[in-house]
């Protein structure tokens, strides 16, 4: 599914974009081979498709079909066998003609697999004329190709070698079949194709689908057969210094971003559009995509929950927005209430939450803090998935929660524990008790008054405050308020939260505790960054852990600095 392309089409960004696709081995076996019927059609009427196949009958069928459909793009299928030279070659026809190749089938090897001999086994051979893609492009007046697809059964590298001049001056993306074992005698393998394309300036983005075949009807579910071939997808990377200057032009960067969208490399598309905005958007509105990107981020609930202002991309784009960032970050209450959320247990017990809890708690255990046999105040307990961590260490736990539905489940799970209602945005002034440890994991960023919450926790903490929360990148002292979904059992009760910087949290903790630390390690989870100088994060959330103490802690795993580099636990 495309991300931005339909909106780019609607807003006329694609009017000046011409897109040329070349399919080598263009026999249309399924809808996946009919590029004009896919998202590429969004480029029509500026879409041109060339197909090449050694089977003249298949080309004729494709041309008749295109004419009958009266499509609004240009498409032409030509009966040429493409290789790395002009001349004669032997075509080895297989039991299934679609597996025929310029290389002879490796029958002894194929015979070791189920079903392969019936498809790719030898049948007969014929002599054919071959030509090169460079020669055909010159003959047909094809100046450039933007997306090149190749599937010619083992001879794919030959096609690339015969398109050397074309690859030097055009082609943004290539989808090519590669083999990992010799299905055809002396054929080039993936390593050969990869080496050639890297020298031409392409970067591997994907191998899919991995085609496996079995030697027996009985096989392992962990390693089901042997990977024999796949489609490799390569793209240009104009942001690297060694990329040719042509591909660095803003018009070409935009075309590459569009191709990345069609191929569903959304993160790469976003990176390219951000680069265009920051480097060209101020002087040329055609390349300012800030509003477009942020408005689409606001349509993703997970990103809104994370707080749009805390996203590194949004932070870098906010100077290019034509309206205040709050217009994107604070959706109306009516739009928020349209969403429906799972009940508490289903919400908290997704694979994401269960894994996240495991990583956080194992990291906490690794810090070697004095936790066993302490009194613990757990705030924002949710449905109590962290509570047993302290009970297993013979702690006396008081659990609190701000949502009545979650509170009911807490009471059912831990009927012998003191369970209390507590909203840290507006804590009950009658709340009594002093605790050795206050445990606040995953709550602070759901508060719109986090300073009030920190002050309350400090008032009731005798020794340690253990705090984990979502944060924003940056060295400034910022609170970064944001909207959340008040109806979600995992989100802010008030519908407003925050994504403060680490410095903001540290300075607020220092107002109440003489000793504030951050771990040198981070939980083994992608939401906990290791390099705070590089905010290029693909995770929706960015998290950090803090330890505040009444007494100094002689612990080699903690630092009183705000580390820019951390290690993975």
């Amino acid at each position: 599914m495309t991300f931005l392309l339909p909106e780019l089409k609607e807003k006329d960004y694609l009017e000046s974009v011409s897109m040329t696709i070349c399919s080598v081995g263009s026999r249309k076996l399924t809808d996946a081979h009919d590029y004009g019927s896919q998202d590429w059609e969004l480029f029509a009427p500026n879409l041109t498709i060339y197909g090449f196949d050694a089977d003249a009958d298949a080309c004729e069928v494709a041309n008749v079909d295109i004419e009958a459909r009266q499509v609004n793009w240009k498409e032409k299928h030509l009966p040429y066998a493409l290789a790395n030279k002009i001349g004669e070659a032997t075509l080895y026809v297989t039991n299934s003609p679609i597996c025929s190749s310029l290389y002879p089938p490796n029958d002894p090897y194929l015979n070791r697999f189920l079903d392969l001999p019936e498809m790719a086994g030898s049948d007969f051979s014929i002599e054919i004329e071959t030509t090169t893609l460079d020669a055909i492009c010159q003959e047909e007046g094809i100046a450039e190709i933007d997306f090149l697809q190749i599937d010619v059964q083992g001879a794919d590298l030959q096609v690339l070698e015969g398109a050397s001049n074309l690859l030097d001056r055009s082609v943004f993306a290539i989808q090519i079949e590669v083999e990992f074992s010799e299905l055809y005698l002396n054929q080039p393998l993936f390593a050969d194709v990869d080496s050639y394309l890297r020298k031409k300036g392409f970067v591997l983005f994907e191998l899919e689908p991995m085609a496996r075949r079995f030697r027996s009807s009985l096989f392992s579910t962990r390693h089901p057969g042997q990977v024999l071939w796949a489609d490799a997808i390569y793209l240009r990377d104009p942001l690297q210094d060694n990329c040719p200057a042509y591909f660095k032009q803003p018009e070409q960067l935009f075309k590459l971003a569009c191709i990345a969208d069609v191929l569903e490399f959304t993160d790469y598309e976003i990176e390219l559009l951000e680069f265009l905005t920051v480097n060209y958007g101020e002087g040329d509105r055609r390349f300012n995509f800030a509003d477009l990107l942020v408005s689409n981020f606001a349509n993703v609930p997970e990103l809104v929950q994370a707080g749009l202002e805390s996203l590194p991309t949004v932070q870098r784009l906010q100077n290019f927005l034509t309206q205040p960032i709050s217009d994107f970050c604070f959706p109306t209450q009516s739009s928020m209430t349209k969403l429906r959320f799972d009940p508490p247990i289903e919400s908290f017990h997704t694979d994401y939450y269960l894994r996240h809890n495991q990583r956080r708690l194992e990291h906490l255990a690794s810090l070697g803090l004095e936790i066993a046999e302490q009194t613990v105040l757990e705030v924002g307990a949710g449905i109590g998935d962290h509570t047993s961590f302290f009970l297993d260490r013979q702690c006396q736990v008081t659990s609190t929660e701000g949502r009545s539905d979650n509170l009911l489940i807490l009471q059912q799970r831990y009927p012998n524990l003191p369970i209390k209602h507590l909203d840290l945005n507006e804590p009950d002034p009658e709340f009594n008790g002093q605790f050795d440890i206050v445990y606040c994991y995953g709550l602070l960023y759901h508060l719109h008054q986090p300073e009030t919450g920190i002050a309350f926790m400090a008032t009731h903490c005798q020794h340690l405050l253990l705090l984990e929360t979502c944060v924003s990148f940056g060295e400034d002292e910022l609170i970064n308020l944001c909207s959340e979904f008040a109806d979600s059992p995992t989100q802010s009760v008030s519908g407003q939260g925050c994504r403060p910087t680490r410095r903001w949290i540290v300075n607020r903790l220092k107002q109440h505790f003489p000793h504030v630390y951050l771990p040198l390690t981070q939980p083994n989870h992608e939401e906990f960054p290791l390099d705070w100088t590089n905010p290029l994060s693909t995770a929706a959330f960015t998290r950090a852990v803090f330890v505040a103490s009444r007494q100094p802690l002689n612990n080699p795993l903690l630092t009183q600095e705000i580390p820019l580099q951390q290690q993975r636990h």
Side-chain angles (χ1 to χ4, degrees):
M1 177 184 294
T2 56
F3 178 50
L4 294 176
L5 209 58
E7 188 171 352
L8 290 170
K9 173 79 169 181
E10 180 183 342
K11 294 182 176 180
D12 298 330
Y13 280 94
L14 303 185
E15 276 193 347
S16 60
V17 178
S18 62
M19 188 64 62
T20 302
I21 297 174
C22 176
S23 177
V24 182
S26 63
R27 182 194 302 262
K28 295 185 178 182
L29 300 175
T30 67
D31 290 343
H33 301 95
D34 188 6
Y35 290 101
S37 298
Q38 301 174 38
D39 292 323
W40 298 101
E41 186 181 5
L42 289 167
F43 295 102
N46 300 325
L47 173 65
T48 302
I49 301 174
Y50 295 101
F52 300 97
D53 200 284
D55 188 335
D57 292 337
C59 291
E60 178 63 22
V61 169
N63 287 328
V64 169
D65 175 65
I66 287 297
E67 185 176 357
R69 287 158 57 188
Q70 297 184 337
V71 299
N72 66 334
W73 64 87
K74 177 183 176 182
E75 184 167 344
K76 184 178 182 181
H77 292 261
L78 303 169
Y80 291 105
L82 298 186
N84 56 4
K85 61 182 180 180
I86 300 173
E88 288 191 354
T90 302
L91 177 67
Y92 297 89
V93 182
T94 54
N95 294 326
S96 175
I98 62 173
C99 296
S100 301
S101 174
L102 296 178
Y103 292 90
N106 188 354
D107 288 319
Y109 188 66
L110 297 175
N111 290 336
R112 297 169 60 187
F113 296 91
L114 300 178
D115 302 327
L116 277 187
E118 288 77 7
M119 294 181 58
S122 299
D123 190 2
F124 62 92
S125 64
I126 56 173
E127 297 303 307
I128 62 171
E129 295 289 330
T130 63
T131 188
T132 68
L133 191 53
D134 279 338
I136 290 297
C137 285
Q138 184 174 0
E139 180 179 325
E140 294 288 332
I142 302 172
E144 61 183 26
I145 289 171
D146 300 307
F147 176 66
L148 175 60
Q149 183 268 337
I150 305 174
D151 183 357
V152 290
Q153 303 305 118
D156 307 79
L157 180 58
Q158 286 198 30
V159 176
L160 291 175
E161 291 170 340
S164 179
N165 293 333
L166 181 73
L167 296 177
D168 288 339
R169 69 173 188 269
S170 71
V171 185
F172 292 88
I174 297 175
Q175 180 174 335
I176 183 169
E177 187 178 69
V178 293
E179 284 82 23
F180 304 102
S181 296
E182 283 195 20
L183 305 182
Y184 301 92
L185 291 172
N186 300 316
Q187 71 163 109
L189 298 179
F190 165 68
D192 305 300
V193 173
D194 184 69
S195 176
Y196 183 85
L197 285 177
R198 287 186 182 276
K199 291 176 182 177
K200 288 291 186 179
F202 290 88
V203 177
L204 177 67
F205 269 64
E206 182 63 281
L207 287 168
E208 65 168 10
M210 292 291 191
R212 298 176 178 271
R213 289 298 181 267
F214 312 107
R215 291 174 166 84
S216 166
S217 298
L218 180 65
F219 51 84
S220 166
T221 55
R222 181 181 179 187
H223 298 298
Q226 181 179 344
V227 174
L228 294 179
W229 70 88
D231 273 2
I233 300 178
Y234 290 83
L235 286 90
R236 299 279 186 183
D237 185 1
L239 305 190
Q240 291 191 18
D241 292 339
N242 60 354
C243 186
Y246 169 77
F247 299 101
K248 294 178 180 289
Q249 299 174 23
E251 294 82 3
Q252 309 310 322
L253 286 166
F254 178 63
K255 180 180 283 192
L256 177 57
C258 293
I259 293 173
D261 196 338
V262 175
L263 298 177
E264 298 189 44
F265 295 109
T266 307
D267 60 323
Y268 189 37
E269 174 194 15
I270 292 170
E271 182 187 27
L272 292 169
L273 294 181
E274 179 193 324
F275 180 87
L276 279 167
T277 301
V278 172
N279 290 276
Y280 300 97
E282 186 173 1
D284 191 337
R285 293 183 59 186
R286 294 178 304 158
F287 302 116
N288 184 345
F289 301 98
D291 286 356
L292 181 70
L293 286 167
V294 175
S295 63
N296 277 272
F297 292 163
N299 293 328
V300 182
E302 293 82 0
L303 298 183
V304 177
Q305 292 174 28
L308 291 186
E309 305 102 318
S310 69
L311 298 177
T313 296
V314 175
Q315 292 175 0
R316 292 189 291 267
L317 290 175
Q318 54 185 321
N319 290 336
F320 299 89
L321 294 170
T322 61
Q323 59 192 58
I325 194 169
S326 58
D327 290 356
F328 300 105
C329 297
F330 293 89
T332 62
Q333 191 61 34
S334 60
S335 67
M336 300 281 278
T337 55
K338 292 178 183 178
L339 297 173
R340 295 291 180 265
F341 298 95
D342 290 332
I345 292 179
E346 286 81 355
S347 294
F348 280 103
H349 284 178
T350 62
D351 290 342
Y352 162 80
Y353 270 102
L354 293 174
R355 173 175 171 261
H356 190 254
N357 289 337
Q358 291 168 349
R359 300 291 83 80
R360 287 188 290 178
L361 291 176
E362 69 186 15
H363 175 259
L364 175 58
S366 76
L367 296 179
L369 301 170
E370 292 184 12
I371 293 177
E373 300 180 357
Q374 304 291 302
T375 58
V376 177
L377 172 63
E378 182 183 19
V379 297
I383 61 173
D385 289 333
H386 291 209
T387 310
S388 62
F389 177 87
F390 297 97
L391 295 178
D392 291 344
R393 289 160 175 78
Q394 290 75 52
C395 294
Q396 299 177 38
V397 181
T398 297
S399 286
T400 65
E401 168 59 24
R403 290 182 176 274
S404 56
D405 289 348
N406 295 347
L407 203 65
L408 179 62
I409 296 172
L410 259 178
Q411 292 168 337
Q412 293 171 345
R413 293 181 71 180
Y414 301 103
N416 298 322
L417 292 186
I419 307 292
K420 299 182 179 182
H421 178 270
L422 179 63
D423 180 358
L424 279 193
N425 278 313
E426 300 176 355
D428 184 357
E430 302 298 322
F431 188 97
N432 294 316
Q434 291 293 309
F435 301 86
D436 298 320
I437 297 173
V438 175
Y439 180 72
C440 180
Y441 264 42
L443 173 64
L444 189 75
Y445 68 101
H446 295 313
L447 306 179
H448 65 270
Q449 299 186 81
E451 204 159 0
T452 299
I454 289 174
F456 175 87
M457 291 187 288
T459 299
H460 296 275
C461 180
Q462 296 186 115
H463 179 36
L464 287 179
L465 169 60
L466 305 177
L467 174 65
E468 180 273 334
T469 184
C470 285
V471 297
S472 293
F473 278 92
E475 293 299 301
D476 296 330
E477 192 173 330
L478 301 173
I479 189 171
N480 295 325
L481 295 174
C482 63
S483 289
E484 293 193 353
F485 296 96
D487 292 339
S488 170
T490 69
Q491 300 298 305
S492 168
V493 175
S494 68
Q496 297 293 318
C498 64
R499 303 295 185 267
T501 59
R502 293 185 300 164
R503 187 169 302 279
W504 187 95
I505 295 173
V506 166
N507 288 343
R508 295 310 174 279
L509 291 174
K510 284 182 177 180
Q511 293 177 5
H512 303 280
F513 293 88
H515 308 283
V516 177
Y517 304 90
L518 281 82
L520 295 174
T521 60
Q522 285 271 63
N524 191 15
H525 191 280
E526 59 275 6
E527 291 181 356
F528 292 85
L530 302 182
D531 184 358
W532 293 90
T533 67
N534 180 18
L536 295 176
S537 173
T538 58
F541 296 91
T542 301
R543 298 178 181 266
V545 176
F546 306 83
V547 178
S549 177
R550 300 294 180 196
Q551 297 82 32
L553 300 177
N554 184 17
N555 188 319
L557 295 177
L558 301 178
T559 177
Q560 291 186 299
E561 304 295 327
I562 300 178
L564 295 179
Q565 304 289 334
Q566 292 175 280
Q567 295 181 343
R568 187 68 73 202
H569 160 65

